[in-house]
Amino acid sequence: MTISQNSAYRIISEGRGSRWLVTVDHATNRVPDWISGGNLGISAPDMQRHIAFDPGALGVGTALAERLDAPLIHTDFSRLVIDPNRGEDDPTLVMQLYDGTIIPANRRITEADIAERLDRLHRPYHVALEDLAARRPDVVICAIHSFTRQLRHCAPRPWEVGILYSPKDTRLAVPLIAALAATGLTVGDNEPYAGHLDGDSIDRHALASGRPNVLIEVRNDLIADAAGQREWGERLAPVLQMVLRNSGL
C-alpha cells in the first residue's frame, strides 16, 4: 500500500489497476490548526459524532478498495470545517448548527474565511479526485459514507445500508439495491437521504461526465470497529463486481 497526501486529502494505492475508484468524502474529524487553533468550539464527544465525519467509512472504504484492487481518495478534514460533498454555492457548505449542536467557530464565519477553506481544503480535494477519475476512460466511482442510526428527536432508522443515486443515472444503483436486498439486508432506496444535490461529489465527478457510479451509506453502529469495517468492505466488494459485470457497462 502506498499513500500520498497533502493537507486536504490522502490517496491510497494510486497505482492499483481496476476500473473502480473508491472515495470517502467525510473520512476524518481533523480540524486544521489554522482554523481556531484546531478547535471548532464543540465538545470532544460531539467531534466523535456523525456531525463531524462519517464514523467507520474510511475503514470500510479501505477494505473495499483493497478487494476491488482500486485506488482510494479521502479527505483529511472535518465536514464541519467545510463539507466537500457540497457545491461551493450550497447553503450547507459550512454548517453553523448540525443535529442539535451549535458550531461556535462557524457562527460568525465571513466570506473570506469560507474562501480560505475552499482554497486550502475543498478545491484541492476535488482537483485530486478528478485527476484520479480521469486516469482511464472507463472509471467507475464508488463513494462510501456512513449514517447514524438515529438523529436526535427522530425515530430510529431501519436500514442497514442505503444506496443513494440521482435519477440522471440509475444504471448501477438500482440493480445494486436488489442485489444487496437478496442477501438479506434491509436496504434503503435513496434513504436515509435523497441521492442527489447539484454540485455534490457524484454530480461533479460522475454525472457531469457520464461515469458509472454508486453511493453507499452504511449504518455506523455496524462499522464501529475494525472488524465490522473489514466485514462490510468484504461483503460489498463481490456484489459490486457482480452488478458491474452484469450491467455491461
Side-chain angles (χ1 to χ4, degrees):
M1 178 187 298
T2 58
I3 299 175
S4 61
Q5 68 185 84
N6 78 359
S7 60
Y9 63 85
R10 295 188 178 193
I11 298 171
I12 298 175
S13 298
E14 183 174 355
R16 285 177 177 158
S18 81
R19 295 178 61 186
W20 291 97
L21 169 59
V22 178
T23 69
V24 187
D25 288 340
H26 301 140
T28 79
N29 59 0
R30 187 180 73 89
V31 179
D33 290 343
W34 49 270
I35 297 174
S36 302
N39 189 330
L40 295 175
I42 66 176
S43 69
D46 267 339
M47 284 301 296
Q48 297 300 318
R49 294 177 61 217
H50 69 99
I51 64 173
F53 71 126
D54 281 357
L58 180 56
V60 174
T62 300
L64 177 62
E66 184 178 339
R67 285 291 304 272
L68 295 175
D69 189 34
L72 179 147
I73 183 169
H74 70 84
T75 57
D76 193 21
F77 55 90
S78 172
R79 70 198 304 168
L80 294 179
V81 172
I82 191 165
D83 193 331
N85 195 34
R86 295 293 184 271
E88 293 190 10
D89 60 351
D90 192 298
T92 64
L93 181 66
V94 178
M95 295 289 281
Q96 298 177 326
L97 173 69
Y98 198 170
D99 194 20
T101 296
I102 294 172
I103 319 303
N106 294 345
R107 289 187 67 183
R108 295 178 177 83
I109 194 166
T110 67
E111 290 300 317
D113 293 332
I114 294 173
E116 183 177 22
R117 297 183 192 188
L118 282 167
D119 285 342
R120 296 179 68 170
L121 299 171
H122 192 282
R123 289 173 181 151
Y125 170 64
H126 283 288
V127 168
L129 198 166
E130 183 57 31
D131 286 345
L132 270 180
R135 76 190 192 282
R136 52 186 290 174
D138 60 349
V139 159
V140 182
I141 294 177
C142 178
I144 298 296
H145 293 256
S146 72
F147 67 96
T148 186
R149 185 184 184 103
Q150 185 173 12
L151 294 170
R152 288 178 175 174
H153 312 301
C154 294
R157 292 160 160 171
W159 312 283
E160 293 163 290
V161 60
I163 306 302
L164 311 189
Y165 58 93
S166 164
K168 296 177 182 178
D169 186 359
T170 65
R171 294 173 293 174
L172 292 182
V174 169
L176 180 60
I177 291 168
L180 289 172
T183 70
L185 291 169
T186 302
V187 185
D189 182 337
N190 262 338
E191 298 285 0
Y193 309 107
H196 177 244
L197 290 170
D198 289 339
D200 69 11
S201 291
I202 290 292
D203 188 42
R204 291 180 65 165
H205 302 290
L207 299 180
S209 53
R211 293 182 181 114
N213 62 91
V214 291
L215 191 157
I216 300 174
E217 293 261 4
V218 183
R219 204 175 72 209
N220 63 27
D221 63 307
L222 303 175
I223 52 173
D225 58 26
Q229 293 157 23
R230 176 156 291 277
E231 176 189 344
W232 271 88
E234 293 177 349
R235 171 185 287 180
L236 291 168
V239 183
L240 285 165
Q241 290 169 318
M242 178 193 70
V243 167
L244 179 60
R245 183 171 60 250
N246 293 345
S247 74
L249 291 168

